[in-house]
Structures are given as structure tokens and as C-alpha cells.
Amino acid sequence: MTTTRRGGMAGPVSGDGVSSRPPTGQPTYHPLPADPRLARELLDGLAEAVLTTDEAGRVTLVNAMAAELLPEITAGTELSRCPVRALAQAVAGDAECFDVEHRGRRLRGVRRRLAGARYAWYVRDVTEEHARTDALLAERSRTAFLAQAGSRLGRSLHRDQTLRATATLAVPYLADAAVVLHRPPAPADQRPRWIRYAESDPTPATGLAGPGLTDTVPGLTEALAGELTEPRLDTELADLSSVLPPGLGRPGAALVSPIRSAGGPFGALLLIRRAGRAGFDPRDIELAREFGARAGAALATAELHGEQAHLARVLQASLLPPELPPVPGVSLAGGYRAAGDTLRIGGDFYEVFPHRTGALFALGDVCGKGVGAAVLTGRVRQSLQTLRLVEQRPLELIGLLDRALFDAPDAARRSQFTTLLLGSLERGPAGVDVRIAGGGHPAPLLVTPGGAVTPVPVGGMPVGALAAARFAETRVHLDPGDLLLAYTDGVTGARGGPREVEVFGEERLRAAVASATGLPPAALVDRLLQLVDEWQGGQAHDDIAMLAVCAARPA
């Protein structure tokens, strides 16, 4: 009796080649039925194509699936010379597998050795599997493109930069050339303009779209109006030479898609592919529309940011401290820091209004920070501009301002009030007479040429806070060389120092002023601002304002 190996173990073999007595611990193997018809039915029922070859490499068996997938191969075919080139090369090269596109199907084959020098090839149709893999990879690629595009578009807060980014991002993933057509914001010329980018362009190019472009490109007029129309474009009807780079040639496929957001249309995206590149399939159209929507959202954000920046510039121009006017017999200097220093506007302010015999000055600190405080600052300054025309006595003027602020609509509910020093400067034969009305503001400092620093108590209640508020007035004379420094509590309340929580304080301010005695007012203010900045060490701070008034020495 002969033996053979099955599963790595030897055992007795019957005449039909099947083990009749399994090794110990192994399952029992039953003889296969010697029925050629049944064996054929089993082979033909397989979902895989099966080819077997003899010792000479000729095909001995072809099952039903093999006949369907590889009809060129029949029994007797020398497999190394068969018409299926990838399979023939695998056999000739003694390879164990092959992969081929054949008759519109994707086939993958694996070789298994049989007894003797015979082989069996098992060939599977992996078309659907391959298509699913390709679809998954394509979807991942589209998702990555949209993520990158969204990130790039989201970083741009300038309208023109966003338009340029829209054109450049579309190339080469969506097209070989991209043209963004748009209308500029009013009141500019409303004729469409274009921004184009192609792989051959070093930078995006721009131009003015003539009427012929919108007339000859189907769907372009509708896309500019934000309408979703049939996106396919018959390039035979479209004259795109005016917007395409010279080296691109006649387009092979083109696509029009609107650029719009919830706020309305912004323009149109024109995508062009070279001849020879695949056209736009439904997934490409969907992707182009999604990209256009994201570009529209980014453009809406950029336009909103542009409007806000414009409003901020207008607000800055009206609310930033003014250039101080010349006042005979007096040297003036002002200093200002806004909290956060983003818009450079805040709630601290100073003003000087010159008149025939001297000037009025004001320095105040409105409640709050940022834009809200700046708006109230503007109201206070405008009120002072008007009220000073009918009243120039500081105590009476601060009373009129209090009534104006308190009587404003919803003033009490908004808790809008200000602390204020309001003073008048009158030139005299030997120096300057100063009258100061106080509205709950820190006392100014009187600095003599000898270095003495003395607070000038004023008192009073905040302006616009109480219906029956009372205000105080004091007088002081500035001899030539004397200086009066008014400041807001952002100076003394600045936190910093070695522990980063200690306030700058009044004592430290007086010492700093005394050490700078003899400096001109502008140099003194700059020195104090520098010391406060160093004290804070870059930390967030409150608004800061200073106004220095110095009686000029005789010429």
C-alpha cells in the first residue's frame, strides 16, 4: 500500500487516492464520488474561473465561468501563448498571479500547484470590488480637496484675495484652467470682471469681461445671477479665447457653476479642461457646486469683514484723540492707549477747545471698554463741542453735559456715564489761571520746576449717572514752568510688576513724574506711557489717557 501526505500527515491511501484511515486526532475523510458529471457541475457552479494545465502547459479544463470571462481560452490552448497577454506573461515568467483589464472587466488570477507539473489558475472578476475601492478613494480625494479649499478660503478675509484663492484652488484638481467672474461692490462699475488661473500662469490674471463672453457662454448669465442651471457647456458654441491663456488651446470640456451664499450671488465659476482629459461627470458637477458654495460663503465673510473694517476706520477717525491745537502761552501734550489696542478706540478721551483768551480742556473716562465705550465717548465729545458754544464756565458746562447725558434715551438702563475733569485756561500776566470742574475723576497733579508733585483735589460725582448729581470746582494758578497732569485711572490701576498683580498706583506715578521734572510735556507723557507699558509687561490693560498742560516760560 502506498502513502501520500494530506494536510502535512501521512496515512493509508485507497485505490481512488483518498485516505481511508486518518491519523490519530484527525477528522475522517470520505472517498470522493467517482462521478465526472457531478464534478463538472461543481466546477461550473463556482463563482471563480478555473483553468487547469498539464505538464506541457496546455489547458486541460475550462469551467463555465472561465468560458464566460476568458472565451479566448479553450481546452488545448498553450497558456503561455494565449491571447490574454497578462496571463500569458504570468505563465511564461513563472509568476503566481496576474491583474488585467479584459473585455471591460477587471480580472485577478492566482496560480496553485497540482500533482506533478500541473497547475490550476483561479481567476476572479473583481470589477465591482475595484469600482468600490476607486469610488472610496475618489470620495476621500474629494473630501480632502474640499477640506483644504475650505481651510484656505477661510483664512482669507479680503474680498480680492478670496477671489484669487477660488481661482487658484480649482486648478488642477477640478480643471486645467479656472475663471471666476464677479461684479465689484457698489458703487464701482458693475460690468463683470474675471480672475483666471491656469497651470501655465505664474499668477492669477485679471480682466474686464466683455458682453460677448456672457452672450456666448450658455448658462453664464444665469450663474452670475445665482441661478442653478444645466451646468454642461457645449464648447463648440462658446468663444472663450478672451479669458483663456494662449497655450491652453481649444477646451475639451467646460462647466459653469454659480458662486453664491445665503446672502445672494457673488459671481460664477467657469472650469475648463483640455481636450483629451475626461469631461465632467455628475460627481464632478456636484463637487464644483459644493466648491462654489464654499467660495460664496468665504466671499460673504470677506465682504462682511471689509464692511466692519471700513466702519472701524470711520469710527477711529471720529473717536481717536485729536491733534492738539496751539494755545498761546501754554504747552500741551496728550497720550492715549486703548484697552487691547485692536481697534485703537476705547472709553478714555481728552479734548482741547481754544478760544480768544485761552482754552477749554476735558479729560474723561466713560464706563465700559471697546466699541460700546467709544460710542459713548463720541456722544460726550460731540455734546461738549455743542455746549461750549453757549457755556464756557467749567462748573456750569459740566452741569449741562450731565443733563444731556442723563436725558438721553435709555441712558439709565445702559448705565452710561463718565468721570470727567473739565477745565478752563486763562492767560494772565504771569502764568495761567486754571479753573477745574470735577465729575468723580482722579485728582490731577501739579508739578513745579523744582520737582514737587502735589495732587489738586476736585471731587464731584460721575456725569450722567444720577438725577441730582453734584459737581465741584477748584482753581489753581500755573506759574511759568509749572505743569498740570490729568490722567485716567487706567494709569494708576495698571497691573504688573514682579508679581504681575500689583497696581502701578498713585505713589509710583508721582515718583515717576518727579523723576521726569523739567522734561517738555510731550516727553513727560511719552516717558509715563513707557513706564506703564513696562510695568504691565504685555498684559491686558484698561484704557489710558493723559493730558499735560504747562505754562510757557517768557521768551
Side-chain angles (χ1 to χ4, degrees):
M1 179 180 292
T2 61
T3 62
T4 186
R5 288 191 176 271
R6 190 176 184 84
M9 299 293 292
V13 179
S14 62
D16 57 7
V18 179
S19 173
S20 59
R21 181 172 56 84
T24 304
Q26 296 294 325
T28 302
Y29 294 98
H30 300 284
L32 292 175
D35 186 343
R37 183 178 299 175
L38 177 58
R40 187 71 202 191
E41 289 178 358
L42 291 173
L43 286 171
D44 288 343
L46 294 176
E48 289 182 318
V50 179
L51 300 171
T52 61
T53 59
D54 58 15
E55 294 83 350
R58 296 184 181 278
V59 175
T60 57
L61 182 144
V62 178
N63 75 342
M65 184 56 70
E68 178 181 338
L69 297 179
L70 304 166
E72 303 89 346
I73 301 176
T74 59
T77 301
E78 187 177 344
L79 209 54
S80 62
R81 299 177 182 272
C82 73
V84 183
R85 186 175 180 182
L87 175 56
Q89 290 176 339
V91 173
D94 199 29
E96 297 293 333
C97 60
F98 73 92
D99 203 314
V100 67
E101 290 279 351
H102 184 65
R103 293 180 175 267
R105 310 298 294 176
R106 184 85 176 192
L107 305 181
R108 187 169 297 155
V110 179
R111 187 182 72 170
R112 294 289 183 267
R113 182 182 295 273
L114 301 178
R118 296 175 299 161
Y119 292 95
W121 283 93
Y122 300 92
V123 183
R124 287 193 307 121
D125 183 352
V126 295
T127 305
E128 300 302 326
E129 177 185 328
H130 196 268
R132 287 193 297 270
T133 301
D134 287 347
L136 178 59
L137 293 175
E139 189 60 33
R140 287 178 177 174
S141 177
R142 293 185 182 98
T143 301
F145 167 75
L146 287 175
Q148 179 189 20
S151 177
R152 282 274 305 278
L153 291 170
R155 289 198 299 266
S156 175
L157 291 176
H158 189 277
R159 186 179 189 273
D160 289 343
Q161 290 177 352
T162 306
L163 288 168
R164 292 164 68 89
T166 301
T168 54
L169 283 168
V171 177
Y173 189 84
L174 290 176
D176 298 303
V179 181
V180 177
L181 291 101
H182 65 100
R183 287 188 171 88
D189 182 0
Q190 289 299 293
R191 287 183 296 173
R193 286 163 169 74
W194 53 262
I195 297 177
R196 180 203 71 217
Y197 183 72
E199 291 182 292
S200 58
D201 290 332
T203 58
T206 61
L208 183 65
L213 180 63
T214 54
D215 292 343
T216 58
V217 178
L220 187 53
T221 301
E222 292 81 359
L224 285 170
E227 299 177 13
L228 281 174
T229 59
E230 172 56 46
R232 298 182 190 281
L233 174 63
D234 185 351
T235 55
E236 295 299 325
L237 301 177
D239 181 12
L240 304 176
S241 58
S242 61
V243 297
L244 294 185
L248 187 70
R250 191 164 187 82
L255 176 68
V256 175
S257 185
I259 299 176
R260 62 182 187 175
S261 72
F266 281 96
L269 177 64
L270 179 58
L271 302 172
I272 302 101
R273 291 182 177 178
R274 298 176 184 272
R277 181 173 175 177
F280 295 95
D281 61 26
R283 293 291 292 153
D284 293 332
I285 296 170
E286 180 183 348
L287 182 62
R289 285 179 170 170
E290 176 64 23
F291 175 68
R294 297 196 180 198
L299 282 166
T301 301
E303 288 205 341
L304 179 60
H305 180 269
E307 292 173 1
Q308 291 176 336
H310 174 70
L311 290 174
R313 287 192 295 270
V314 172
L315 195 60
Q316 281 180 332
S318 64
L319 296 179
L320 283 175
E323 292 287 335
L324 293 176
V327 177
V330 178
S331 180
L332 299 168
Y336 177 76
R337 290 280 194 278
D341 213 27
T342 301
L343 293 177
R344 298 180 59 240
I345 54 179
D348 291 7
F349 67 95
Y350 57 82
E351 284 277 5
V352 174
F353 309 109
H355 54 70
R356 185 174 54 84
T357 61
L360 284 172
F361 71 87
L363 180 135
D365 180 0
V366 307
C367 65
K369 296 180 182 179
V371 175
V375 170
L376 179 56
T377 298
R379 180 180 298 174
V380 173
R381 292 172 62 186
Q382 290 298 320
S383 298
L384 285 173
Q385 285 274 11
T386 304
L387 294 173
R388 73 182 179 87
L389 300 177
V390 298
E391 180 58 72
Q392 295 188 353
R393 294 173 296 176
L395 187 60
E396 287 75 7
L397 181 54
I398 202 171
L400 291 176
L401 177 64
D402 175 71
R403 184 178 303 175
L405 293 180
F406 193 80
D407 291 343
D410 297 330
R413 180 175 60 81
R414 294 193 303 270
S415 299
Q416 293 190 338
F417 60 89
T418 180
T419 64
L420 184 68
L421 290 177
L422 186 57
S424 66
L425 306 174
E426 294 288 342
R427 297 191 311 274
V432 177
D433 292 320
V434 184
R435 295 172 61 184
I436 309 172
H441 198 81
L445 300 177
L446 176 61
V447 187
T448 67
V453 179
T454 307
V456 181
V458 182
M461 297 180 179
V463 182
L466 301 171
R470 290 188 242 177
F471 307 103
E473 184 181 85
T474 191
R475 300 183 182 220
V476 65
H477 179 76
L478 300 181
D479 291 325
D482 286 349
L483 181 142
L484 185 71
L485 176 68
Y487 60 91
T488 61
D489 62 7
V491 177
T492 53
R495 294 189 177 274
R499 299 180 182 179
E500 298 186 351
V501 293
E502 187 179 356
V503 297
F504 193 73
E506 293 184 6
E507 291 186 8
R508 193 171 279 105
L509 173 61
R510 293 175 194 175
V513 171
S515 68
T517 299
L519 292 177
L524 171 65
V525 169
D526 287 345
R527 174 61 178 160
L528 293 177
L529 287 175
Q530 178 185 358
L531 290 174
V532 173
D533 288 343
E534 292 174 354
W535 178 260
Q536 293 172 135
Q539 293 186 78
H541 58 84
D542 199 355
D543 298 325
I544 293 173
M546 298 183 194
L547 181 64
V549 180
C550 184
R553 297 177 184 273

